[in-house]
Amino acid sequence: MAARVPAAELNQHRSSPFAASHCRRPRACFPFLTPLSSLKPPSLLASSLSPLLLLVLAGDAAPQAPLRVASRTPRRTEESNRIICRAAEVQGAGGGARRRREPLRRGAVSARLPVPDHIPRPPYVGADAIPDVCPDRQVHDGESIMRMLDACELAARVLQYAGTLVKPAVTTDEIDRAVHQMIVDAGAYPSPLGYGGFPKSVCTSVNECTCHGIPDSRELQDGDIINIDVTVYLNGYHGDTSRTYFCGDVDEPTKQLVKVTEECMMRGISACRHGASFKDIGQRISEHASKYGYGIDPFVGHGVGRIFHCEPIIWSTYDYEPGFMVAGQTFTIEPTLSMGSTQCVLWDDGWTAVAADGSLSAQFEHTVLVTRDGVEILTGSP
């Protein structure tokens, strides 16, 4: 799931313990919100690396650069601004390519679903506080890579199944129930459930919901888009993935937003290899998004494995230099693109982040493994 990090120039919502950028109050994601003061320099900890990997780093990788917080999306060209204006016209038009869309309304949230006692829980379950983003960078050996593969393969299967449920008149609560049951039937735990008090087993973000939507009784409407974000905890490891689905008949501008968002994710993934700079990921995402005039929302990717959210923080913007990739690392790449403003407001449920101007957002996410020769997508289609 997506992480939020703070940008100094934005107003902060005083009621939350977490700082957020471009949003008046999100949490460091599932990777929710993480306070700026808690972000550690992304240097690799010698104690967490094998002697072989330390030698690799000393010989092949450049020195770590200090982390800088990205506080802006790419500058838009005049042509990009025209695209944005046209997209806004189509989105708000009463007829033509898109009928007028009603603002997203919350529904009733049902009770938390039970998990059988024999299924192991992540260590954060039972605590209401959102865990800090761990400063360690997880580097896997052969055995832990196999466990990551198992968790990610299950997450991919669950997400694929969830996508088949997206139809008009289906509620996001129904999707949550189906996802929950499939995960526990596989002997796994739905990672979002109980993370900092999150009440459901999956995130469902509809239309202008940028991230962390809570499943409820609202029925999906013809023409909606929905991001379904699945994370499972299996045999001590988390697998994390999401994609945006069409509900019924979706207009062409919205289809383009979703298509370009997926392309951005794949371009970011293509930058990954041992010794590559993390900033190359955001550079490729930013360059592609800017061609279409889309804003990049401030949620970020994160390291994942035995720990749900850890370093490195994976930005989708271009103005940062957080160091270099190492073979054996696993993390998520999860750009979120918007048709309009990247500012958002947080509902009083403490999680649901919604675009301040009501513009549509789309997101895609994969968990990837850095290898000597490139990268492996662990949450690819089953």
Side-chain angles (χ1 to χ4, degrees):
M1 297 158 222
R4 281 267 335 212
V5 289
E9 78 278 10
L10 297 172
N11 294 331
Q12 303 301 321
H13 192 288
R14 298 181 183 276
S15 65
S16 171
F18 292 89
S21 73
H22 290 283
C23 192
R24 296 200 187 112
R25 199 40 308 143
R27 317 175 66 105
C29 177
F30 283 172
F32 311 163
L33 301 182
T34 199
L36 180 59
S37 60
S38 71
L39 289 177
K40 307 295 193 301
S43 57
L44 292 168
L45 300 181
S47 61
S48 67
L49 299 179
S50 68
L52 175 60
L53 283 171
L54 285 172
L55 287 174
V56 167
L57 283 173
D60 294 341
Q64 292 286 332
L67 177 64
R68 296 206 306 268
V69 175
S71 60
R72 63 182 184 276
T73 52
R75 295 182 179 88
R76 291 169 174 162
T77 64
E78 186 175 332
E79 176 60 24
S80 296
N81 286 331
R82 284 197 292 270
I83 294 173
I84 293 172
C85 291
R86 178 56 186 152
E89 290 172 7
V90 173
Q91 185 172 328
R98 183 179 180 85
R99 60 184 174 277
R100 187 172 298 278
R101 178 172 52 82
E102 292 296 324
L104 186 65
R105 306 290 185 189
R106 75 185 73 196
V109 178
S110 61
R112 182 181 300 190
L113 297 172
V115 176
D117 291 339
H118 70 273
I119 294 178
R121 271 73 165 156
Y124 52 77
V125 173
D128 287 335
I130 297 176
D132 291 335
V133 175
C134 178
D136 298 344
R137 297 190 178 195
Q138 300 173 76
V139 179
H140 301 277
D141 58 19
E143 180 181 351
S144 61
I145 287 175
M146 292 306 298
R147 292 196 178 196
M148 279 295 296
L149 282 168
D150 289 342
C152 289
E153 189 273 338
L154 174 60
R157 284 195 290 113
V158 172
L159 180 61
Q160 184 180 61
Y161 171 61
T164 67
L165 305 177
V166 176
K167 298 173 184 176
V170 171
T171 69
T172 51
D173 189 66
E174 290 176 273
I175 294 173
D176 178 75
R177 287 180 176 276
V179 164
H180 178 92
Q181 194 62 50
M182 185 174 180
I183 292 173
V184 299
D185 284 350
Y189 186 91
S191 301
L193 186 64
Y195 185 95
F198 192 81
K200 292 295 180 178
S201 299
V202 67
C203 289
T204 52
S205 301
V206 179
N207 293 338
E208 68 265 35
C209 181
T210 307
C211 207
H212 307 151
I214 296 175
D216 61 23
S217 63
R218 177 192 180 274
E219 294 183 351
L220 294 174
Q221 306 296 313
D222 185 60
D224 282 350
I225 56 173
I226 175 174
N227 176 269
I228 302 177
D229 194 336
V230 171
T231 313
V232 305
Y233 182 69
L234 178 66
N235 296 326
Y237 288 78
H238 298 273
D240 192 359
T241 185
S242 84
R243 70 179 296 118
T244 298
Y245 293 95
F246 301 134
C247 181
D249 183 19
V250 175
D251 64 83
E252 290 304 320
T254 303
K255 287 180 180 178
Q256 177 180 269
L257 170 70
V258 173
K259 176 177 179 289
V260 172
T261 305
E262 184 172 20
E263 291 171 351
C264 282
M265 177 188 66
M266 296 307 298
R267 285 171 183 257
I269 291 172
S270 70
C272 297
R273 68 183 186 284
H274 175 74
S277 171
F278 284 107
K279 70 180 180 181
D280 293 342
I281 298 173
Q283 183 74 34
R284 296 192 186 189
I285 291 172
S286 297
E287 288 175 352
H288 194 58
S290 66
K291 292 178 183 178
Y292 297 86
Y294 296 135
I296 300 176
D297 291 309
F299 291 91
V300 298
H302 54 95
V304 65
R306 294 178 300 277
I307 301 168
F308 195 173
H309 302 122
C310 67
E311 294 280 358
I313 299 300
I314 306 299
W315 299 82
S316 296
T317 48
Y318 65 95
D319 53 347
Y320 66 99
E321 298 175 5
F324 299 85
M325 303 173 210
V326 177
Q329 282 183 327
T330 50
F331 49 81
T332 68
I333 296 177
E334 44 185 312
T336 305
L337 270 55
S338 172
M339 277 187 172
S341 171
T342 58
Q343 289 191 332
C344 61
V345 294
L346 195 72
W347 285 0
D348 58 13
D349 58 27
W351 292 105
T352 307
V354 179
D357 65 353
S359 58
L360 296 179
S361 293
Q363 183 185 38
F364 282 80
E365 174 186 15
H366 273 313
T367 296
V368 301
L369 168 70
V370 177
T371 68
R372 264 298 151 189
D373 301 324
V375 64
E376 181 176 350
I377 300 174
L378 301 184
T379 49
S381 298

